[in-house]
Amino acid sequence: MTAGAPVDLAALVAAARAARAAAYAPYSNFPVGAAVATSDGRLFAGANVENASYGATVCAERVAVFAAVAAGARRLAAVAVVTDGGGTPCGICRQVLAEFGPPDLVVALARESGGWETTT
């Protein structure tokens, strides 16, 4: 994929689905996987990591974005989030996505059981 090329949402959702398997969610029992596509075509995935000190918990979306930023990426092209029922990013994650994505960032909300919907 080159900068500005369409994002392969199926591949992005698959990466998020695979990341969900690594989630550490012993308190909520709500594993989440996420993957971001950067504007230069790279994919980064993340899973939620909970902690007994709730404020130390990190959402899957932020793990994926932070991995991308740590690798030098600064612009996102799309994000996929996989939950049991197709949940949406929380407010903190939305702020992080807004920091690194365009106003019309594509967000694929996928269900673990299959399928997804897109929004911005």
Side-chain angles (χ1 to χ4, degrees):
M1 172 185 340
T2 60
V7 174
D8 180 349
L9 288 180
L12 196 62
V13 168
R17 188 166 280 121
R20 184 176 182 266
Y24 178 73
Y27 305 103
S28 70
N29 292 312
F30 192 73
V32 179
V36 296
T38 61
S39 62
D40 63 2
R42 294 180 288 166
L43 298 183
F44 296 88
N48 58 323
V49 180
E50 295 181 350
N51 189 276
S53 172
Y54 189 70
T57 293
V58 183
C59 299
E61 298 92 316
R62 286 183 285 145
V63 172
V65 171
F66 297 164
V69 171
R74 294 294 183 266
R75 294 302 295 164
L76 303 177
V79 61
V81 181
V82 178
T83 64
D84 195 29
T88 61
C90 73
I92 295 171
C93 290
R94 289 177 188 209
Q95 180 60 45
V96 170
L97 293 169
E99 182 83 15
F100 294 101
D104 59 348
L105 179 70
V106 173
V107 180
L109 304 173
R111 295 168 296 284
E112 179 56 33
S113 60
W116 70 82
E117 299 172 9
T118 59
T119 187
T120 58

